[in-house]
Amino acid sequence: MVTAVTDTILVPTDGSDPATAAARHARLLATELDAAVHVLSVVSEAGVGGRDNPRTAAEGAAADAASSVGGGDASAAPAAIEPTTTVREGDPAETILAHADEIDADLIVMGTHGRTGVDRVVSGSVTEHVTRLSETPVFTVRDGATVPTRYERLLLPTDGSSCAETAVDQATLLATAFDAIVEVVSVVDVNTVAAQSELTNARPVVGELETQSETAVERVADRLREAGVSTETAVLQGTPAAAVADRVVETGADLVVMGTHGRTGVGRILLGSTTERLIRHAAAPVLSVRADDTEERGGE
C-alpha cells in the first residue's frame, strides 16, 4: 500500500545549470505523479545567476525554470504542464521553507553545485540548509547530473533504524509510478570497526554487523514487495557515503532515496552527514526524507 502522496512540487531556482536540471526532473516527476508545480525565485543580496539586477534576474530565472517545467526545452516530455511562478525577497533558505509550508508542498526539487562549493542563491549551502530543516522531502540535483526519460532503478540505503525506513513510502510511491526496481542496501563500515577494534580481531564484529545489515535490508525489501515493487538487496562494505555513491555508478541507479535525521544532527550510519555527502558527490539525484521528532529520538 502506497501511503506517500505527491500532489504539489516546489521548484526553487536561481537560473543556474543545476537549478535548470532540477526543473527538468520536476517535470518528469509531475508528469508521472500528476502533480502541480510551483516555481520560486528568491531576490537576495547575493543576486541570481550572476546577473546585475537582482529582481530582474529572479524574474528571468523563474521564467526559465517555468519553461523547463512546462515543456519549453528539447529534453521535455510531450505532456503540457503549467507551473505557478512566484518571486519573493528574503533569505533564500528561509524563504524556500516558508513558501513550501504556504503552498503545502509534498516535495521540494532543487539544484546544488555539489562538490564545487560555489555559493549561489539556491545551491550549495542553501540546499543543505533546506535539506536539514525541511519537513517536506527534498529532491536534490547535483551540477552536471543528467535527466533520464524515466527512473528505472532506485537505490534505497538503510541502517536498520526507523529513521532510515522513513524513506520507504517515498521509494514505494516513485517505484510504483515509474515501474522501477528498488535496490535496498546497507553498509558495514569496516573502517570504523577496524579503528574501534584496535588490537582485537575485527572479523567476528564485521560478521555480526553483516548479519544485522542483511536483516535490515530484508525487512525493508519485504515492505516493498508487499506493495508490489520489484526489489533487490545488497550488503556493502566501506565508508557509507562512498559505498553508496560507488553503488550508484555500479548499478546505474537513477535516484537515491534515503531517510535523514535532519536538524538533530544525530550520528547514525546512513543519516545526517552521510546524506549531505551524497548530495555533494553522488552521480544521481538524492531524495532525502527527514524523520519526525519521535523517530529521531529512537521511538517507533
Side-chain angles (χ1 to χ4, degrees), residues 27 30-32 69-72 76-82:
R27 174 176 175 75
T31 299
E32 293 299 326
V69 171
I81 298 174
E82 296 183 4

Side-chain angles (χ1 to χ4, degrees), residues 4-292:
V5 175
T6 300
D7 292 327
T8 304
I9 298 173
L10 174 61
V11 183
T13 183
D14 63 356
S16 64
D17 290 342
T20 299
R24 292 172 179 165
H25 277 280
R27 174 176 175 75
L28 177 59
L29 291 161
T31 299
E32 293 299 326
L33 299 173
D34 193 24
V37 179
H38 293 249
V39 173
L40 172 68
S41 189
V42 182
V43 181
S44 76
E45 293 180 358
V48 179
R51 304 170 188 173
D52 294 330
N53 186 301
R55 183 78 192 187
T56 300
E59 292 171 351
D64 290 345
S67 178
S68 293
V69 171
D73 67 290
S75 68
I81 298 174
E82 296 183 4
T84 300
T85 60
T86 303
V87 177
R88 293 280 172 84
E89 296 184 4
D91 174 82
E94 292 178 3
T95 304
I96 291 166
L97 292 168
H99 197 62
D101 287 340
E102 181 181 324
I103 66 173
D104 196 21
D106 301 300
L107 183 65
I108 300 172
V109 182
M110 61 192 302
T112 177
H113 280 279
R115 71 185 67 190
T116 66
V118 178
D119 187 13
R120 300 288 290 273
V121 174
V122 183
S123 300
S125 61
V126 173
T127 302
E128 291 181 3
H129 188 73
V130 170
T131 302
R132 226 176 275 134
L133 297 181
S134 176
E135 295 182 1
T136 302
V138 181
F139 186 113
T140 53
V141 182
R142 192 172 63 80
D143 195 6
T146 59
V147 184
T149 55
R150 294 186 64 80
Y151 303 121
E152 297 181 351
R153 190 176 187 87
L154 313 181
L155 194 63
L156 178 60
T158 181
D159 63 356
S161 69
S162 58
C163 292
E165 294 186 18
T166 301
V168 175
D169 284 345
Q170 286 292 331
T172 301
L173 172 68
L174 293 177
T176 301
F178 288 92
D179 193 24
I181 297 171
V182 178
E183 182 180 37
V184 185
V185 301
S186 187
V187 181
V188 176
D189 192 344
V190 291
N191 295 329
T192 299
V193 171
Q196 292 177 346
S197 299
E198 295 178 347
L199 299 178
T200 61
N201 187 355
R203 190 169 301 171
V205 179
V206 171
E208 181 179 348
L209 290 176
E210 286 180 339
T211 299
Q212 293 175 3
S213 292
E214 289 168 359
T215 300
V217 296
E218 285 302 327
R219 182 171 64 246
V220 172
D222 284 344
R223 285 181 57 184
L224 292 165
R225 291 174 187 132
E226 287 174 2
V229 175
S230 297
T231 308
E232 298 175 1
T233 62
V235 174
L236 313 175
Q237 290 190 356
T239 303
V244 174
D246 288 345
R247 192 67 175 178
V248 169
V249 175
E250 291 169 5
T251 63
D254 298 303
L255 175 65
V256 179
V257 185
M258 64 187 299
T260 179
H261 279 287
R263 71 186 69 192
T264 66
V266 178
R268 295 295 290 272
I269 293 177
L270 282 169
L271 304 172
S273 62
T274 298
T275 305
E276 293 179 0
R277 291 191 186 98
L278 281 171
I279 288 171
R280 295 189 200 108
H281 299 288
V286 177
L287 171 55
S288 59
V289 184
R290 191 173 71 82
D292 63 28

